[in-house]
Amino acid sequence: MSFDVITIYYIFLVLLVFDFLIWVFLEYLNKTRWNDELPVELSEIYDEEKYKKSMSYEREKYVFSKFSNIFSSALIFIFVLFWFFWKIFDYIISFWFWEFFSTLLFFLVLFLAQSFVNLPFSYYYTFVIEQKYWFNKMDKKLFFQDFIKSLILTIIIWWILLSIIILIYFFAWKYFWILAWALMVWFSTFMLMFYSSLIVPIFNKQTPLENWSLREKIEDFAKKVGFRLDNIFVIDWSKRSTKANAYFSGLWPKKRIVLFDTLISDLTDEELVWVLAHEIGHYKKKHTLQMLIFSIIQTGIIFYVLWIVLNYTEFSLALGSNSWSFALWVIAFSIIFSPLSLIFGVLWNIFSRKNEYEADEFAGKNHNLEDLKTSLIKLSKNNLSNLRPHPLYEFFYYSHPTLLKRLDVLDKIKN
Ligand SMILES: [Zn+2]
């Protein structure tokens, strides 16, 4: 089979436009659901004033994402259209001869460029939008500290992984996709286990719940469902934001539930027990393990497709190059992969929403339903969540079911 280079070049451009248009279409649908009057179904959750506030928050976030998305999509389009990816790579390799280092340097340049291009956007989002709605608690020093820290961290981790992948490409081409896959499986399992103990402390402080006064309230419940209390931590989220949340992470001995300190100040102790019950539900139903398996399958498919694509020089040529190169192939691959990643994203969200229902159900069966409902309502309200997304928008982008759906399902649980 052979491909026409010009055709591939146009396919690249079409795919980029397609990707952008899907987003435009879904945003448009979602906008049709905006309403200035308080909708009847939300009258028990929002009052008139709070609802207006949530709508204007929604609008500002929309305008922001419109600008940032148009900007980044246009940038990538122009890069492909005028062969800029190749020109940058060609420039680097012209004075840094060995392809191994040139490739690493190429991706470093792209990553740094992307990070610094995004910086003003995230600065605006934090200090203008989040600030206006009283969500932001960061000062500028913390913002830039975070930026530098995550920049360095990402570069270190990705350089190690990328170096190994490039070496596999050079020296074990026949087994490329299997070996690269194995590496990523090892890496994601390792990260899932040690993320909380290695990465989180770089940004936040986690205190065992034992030091907090609500320990006693939670102890009985944790005992009842067989979850050890020393696996529960409180994170100092309030130094960044007033938004509240909780999550379950890790595998086997490294499992932990992390409660935001903002959550503790927002909810009553009884409601907190519910949040905990929900997170323990994720653990009991083995959701992290399921998600890991899902992402392992996904990574396997990614590397298999990459391996197939890498067999054709034409993909590299379509980006302007006059010979084959690993760096340009990766770029070509990421463009071809975008429709597939949209599908993966949807599957991931369907899976995640199913898990949320299951965790709610576990909590509902083991704890007072009323606390459950009031805490869900409180959290959505405090975070100014959009509770009426368009169903298709929700289908594509929401990792959690909307509040109304969750309340509906809870109503059906009989203790
Ligand atoms: Zn959950």
Side-chain angles (χ1 to χ4, degrees):
M1 187 162 47
S2 85
F3 292 103
D4 176 21
V5 174
I6 298 294
T7 314
I8 298 175
Y9 171 73
Y10 285 118
I11 290 175
F12 282 162
L13 295 175
V14 168
L15 282 176
L16 289 173
V17 173
F18 172 77
D19 204 41
F20 178 71
L21 287 181
I22 291 236
W23 176 81
V24 170
F25 174 64
L26 289 171
E27 286 292 338
Y28 163 77
L29 283 184
N30 211 30
K31 258 171 75 176
T32 61
R33 304 272 295 173
W34 289 355
N35 192 348
D36 284 323
E37 303 285 304
L38 178 64
V40 196
E41 71 262 35
L42 298 185
S43 60
E44 277 177 35
I45 297 154
Y46 280 129
D47 54 49
E48 200 75 49
E49 192 197 348
K50 194 88 178 169
Y51 178 73
K52 282 225 166 77
K53 201 172 163 194
S54 82
M55 275 283 94
S56 81
Y57 183 49
E58 188 65 19
R59 285 198 173 96
E60 290 201 39
K61 282 194 302 182
Y62 166 73
V63 173
F64 171 82
S65 68
K66 196 165 79 179
F67 276 109
S68 66
N69 231 329
I70 290 174
F71 183 77
S72 60
S73 302
L75 209 59
I76 295 172
F77 190 83
I78 289 169
F79 262 62
V80 173
L81 187 67
F82 297 114
W83 294 348
F84 284 154
F85 285 115
W86 170 64
K87 283 173 185 162
I88 295 172
F89 185 68
D90 195 46
Y91 180 71
I92 291 172
I93 207 163
S94 69
F95 64 86
W96 205 319
F97 200 64
W98 198 25
E99 196 182 343
F100 176 77
F101 283 117
S102 302
T103 307
L104 279 179
L105 196 60
F106 171 71
F107 284 111
L108 178 69
V109 169
L110 287 189
F111 172 70
L112 285 177
Q114 189 210 29
S115 302
F116 281 97
V117 164
N118 281 341
L119 186 63
F121 286 99
S122 90
Y123 183 92
Y124 181 87
Y125 188 80
T126 309
F127 292 107
V128 178
I129 299 181
E130 294 288 285
Q131 189 82 34
K132 188 168 163 190
Y133 293 89
W134 302 94
F135 287 133
N136 179 44
K137 294 274 284 284
M138 268 197 270
D139 55 15
K140 284 168 191 155
K141 190 177 153 213
L142 183 60
F143 178 85
F144 286 108
Q145 262 176 11
D146 278 1
F147 175 73
I148 298 291
K149 275 188 204 168
S150 59
L151 203 67
I152 295 172
L153 197 66
T154 317
I155 289 173
I156 293 172
I157 292 175
W158 277 104
W159 264 41
I160 295 171
L161 289 176
L162 197 61
S163 310
I164 302 174
I165 289 178
I166 299 171
L167 288 176
I168 296 173
Y169 160 78
F170 280 133
F171 297 110
W173 169 244
K174 236 174 122 183
Y175 308 103
F176 175 80
W177 81 275
I178 294 272
L179 291 176
W181 187 26
L183 173 72
M184 292 311 288
V185 167
W186 170 82
F187 175 72
S188 41
T189 314
F190 176 84
M191 267 320 215
L192 195 54
M193 289 184 75
F194 295 98
Y195 177 77
S196 289
S197 45
L198 291 179
I199 308 288
V200 177
I202 299 173
F203 298 93
N204 280 88
K205 216 162 80 197
Q206 297 172 102
T207 330
L209 182 74
E210 316 199 15
N211 304 346
W212 291 70
S213 61
L214 63 130
R215 178 206 156 106
E216 279 169 34
K217 307 249 170 50
I218 286 170
E219 202 155 27
D220 295 338
F221 180 79
K223 250 190 209 138
K224 188 175 125 193
V225 294
F227 192 85
R228 276 178 42 201
L229 217 57
D230 55 4
N231 291 324
I232 306 172
F233 291 81
V234 178
I235 194 169
D236 59 342
W237 196 256
S238 57
K239 70 177 182 184
R240 293 207 173 73
S241 166
T242 59
K243 285 185 176 170
N245 211 339
Y247 63 89
F248 176 80
S249 82
L251 278 178
W252 307 301
K254 290 292 174 190
K255 60 178 178 290
R256 67 170 72 183
I257 286 174
V258 179
L259 303 171
F260 290 21
D261 57 353
T262 42
L263 191 76
I264 294 176
S265 53
D266 278 0
L267 300 183
T268 67
D269 289 357
E270 280 305 303
E271 289 166 346
L272 268 169
V273 176
W274 171 76
V275 174
L276 215 67
H278 172 95
E279 300 306 330
I280 292 175
H282 281 309
Y283 157 68
K284 288 272 171 188
K285 303 269 175 189
K286 299 196 168 37
H287 288 158
T288 20
L289 191 62
Q290 289 175 21
M291 295 304 234
L292 178 66
I293 293 169
F294 182 93
S295 85
I296 285 174
I297 295 171
Q298 181 181 331
T299 322
I301 296 173
I302 293 175
F303 279 112
Y304 185 73
V305 176
L306 181 62
W307 188 63
I308 301 273
V309 170
L310 288 175
N311 276 305
Y312 298 99
T313 318
E314 288 86 347
F315 286 99
S316 197
L317 303 185
L319 286 168
S321 169
N322 43 19
S323 63
W324 54 16
S325 71
F326 182 74
L328 289 182
W329 268 327
V330 173
I331 301 287
F333 168 77
S334 68
I335 300 169
I336 293 168
F337 189 71
S338 68
L340 206 57
S341 89
L342 193 73
I343 296 169
F344 275 130
V346 172
L347 289 178
W348 179 271
N349 283 335
I350 292 174
F351 195 40
S352 163
R353 289 193 297 259
K354 172 198 79 80
N355 289 349
E356 291 309 317
Y357 283 128
E358 282 181 9
D360 277 355
E361 197 189 340
F362 174 86
K365 283 181 177 156
N366 287 289
H367 193 60
N368 181 359
L369 268 175
E370 277 320 298
D371 293 331
L372 232 145
K373 288 193 197 164
T374 55
S375 55
L376 269 180
I377 291 174
K378 237 190 228 178
L379 284 176
S380 301
K381 197 171 158 180
N382 290 358
N383 292 346
L384 292 178
S385 306
N386 178 17
L387 305 180
R388 296 173 75 246
H390 188 279
L392 202 61
Y393 189 91
E394 185 189 345
F395 180 76
F396 270 83
Y397 295 136
Y398 271 49
S399 64
H400 285 55
T402 56
L403 175 67
L404 295 178
K405 283 190 185 155
R406 288 176 82 172
L407 293 179
D408 244 18
V409 170
L410 284 177
D411 276 333
K412 288 178 193 134
I413 299 172
K414 302 238 163 23
N415 273 342

